[in-house]
Amino acid sequence: GESLACIADVDLPRSRKLLLLIVLSAVAMGRSGPVQAGSFDLFGFGARQIAMGGAGTATADDYSAIFYNPANLTIRRVIQLGAEFLATAPALDITLDSPSAGAPEPVELDGFSGLGLGVVFPLGGKIDYRLAVGLVLYVPTEHLIHIDALDPVIPRWYVWDSLADKLQVLFGLGGRITDWCAVGIGVQSLANIDGGVTVGGDLVNETFQEREMTVSIINTVAPLLGLRLGPFEGV
């Protein structure tokens, strides 16, 4: 989604400033657009962070920090390479009552899988590892190209099907300003594969007269920002 808010520091009573803040926040939340997401937004990224329920904003100190908090890229001082495999086996289904068939027919939720690769390069030398760059690549392994001809009568897990089969690329840069403050910036790119199939046939002769498939890659880019504070003395 997209939002924009601007608050001017003018000499207004505190009640009026609060009212202005509420009005501008409501306007910002009312201005929305289409949102893109991938498999990381469903389960997270990194075995440790997934096992912790996605609590990786402060704990991710490897290449998964590019997704959770790019400021954490500066924690480690050695080059890190990693790979992981994500596989899902959902146990959800929709039961469709079909009077013509007699018995209810379940519509099962398909699983998906993907391979993730990550690398972090801390920059040493004169800058004393105060900068680090990272790169993550996620490639779906079930359906690199997935085409569905959906029946509008049968319910489908549309959002789930749209999230799973996406190529994801993340790039991040982290910088340690002081021993207790670090910032990070990055970008996440999602590649959707969209298209269609046109088929024309002769039912009498049981032959195809026209077969055409169009596939296009739709790329979306979103910024990533991160901040890490601490540890402080005594904390």
Side-chain angles (χ1 to χ4, degrees), residues 95-111:
T95 300
L96 177 63
D97 293 330
S98 178
S100 59
E105 179 182 355
V107 180
E108 297 183 353
L109 181 64
D110 296 330

Side-chain angles (χ1 to χ4, degrees), residues 14-233:
R14 179 173 299 181
S15 59
R16 292 190 178 183
K17 286 186 177 181
L18 179 59
L19 178 61
L20 179 61
L21 175 62
I22 294 175
V23 171
L24 292 178
S25 299
V27 172
M29 288 186 293
R31 183 179 181 269
S32 62
V35 176
Q36 295 289 333
S39 60
F40 293 176
D41 300 282
L42 284 174
F43 296 104
F45 181 59
R48 179 189 179 198
Q49 279 67 45
I50 293 176
M52 296 173 62
T57 303
T59 60
D61 58 356
D62 53 9
Y63 53 84
S64 64
I66 304 175
F67 175 73
Y68 291 101
N69 187 353
N72 290 352
L73 293 172
T74 60
I75 294 179
R76 297 196 180 190
R77 297 193 175 191
V78 294
I79 298 176
Q80 184 195 36
L81 300 173
E84 57 185 73
F85 181 76
L86 173 66
T88 64
L92 296 173
D93 60 69
I94 301 176
T95 300
L96 177 63
D97 293 330
S98 178
S100 59
E105 179 182 355
V107 180
E108 297 183 353
L109 181 64
D110 296 330
F112 66 89
S113 61
L115 177 64
L117 304 173
V119 59
V120 177
F121 288 99
L123 305 179
K126 294 183 179 180
I127 61 176
D128 190 25
Y129 299 100
R130 291 187 176 273
L131 289 177
V133 296
L135 179 67
V136 165
L137 172 65
Y138 175 82
V139 181
T141 56
E142 286 288 332
H143 307 106
L144 192 58
I145 298 179
H146 188 191
I147 298 175
D148 280 333
L150 303 180
D151 188 341
V153 178
I154 300 177
R156 294 285 298 180
W157 303 88
Y158 179 75
V159 175
W160 175 277
D161 293 340
S162 301
L163 289 176
D165 301 325
K166 286 187 179 180
L167 178 68
Q168 302 185 60
V169 180
L170 293 86
F171 174 79
L173 173 65
R176 183 163 48 90
I177 301 175
T178 66
D179 292 338
W180 53 269
C181 179
V183 296
I185 187 172
V187 63
Q188 178 177 199
S189 176
L190 302 176
N192 295 332
I193 297 178
D194 196 6
V197 177
T198 302
V199 178
D202 187 347
L203 298 180
V204 177
N205 298 320
E206 297 182 352
T207 59
F208 287 103
Q209 298 178 342
E210 180 184 4
R211 288 176 292 182
E212 181 182 357
M213 181 177 67
T214 59
V215 177
S216 59
I217 298 179
I218 304 174
N219 187 52
T220 58
V221 178
L224 300 170
L225 302 175
L227 173 66
R228 179 172 58 88
L229 300 176
F232 303 99
E233 184 178 356

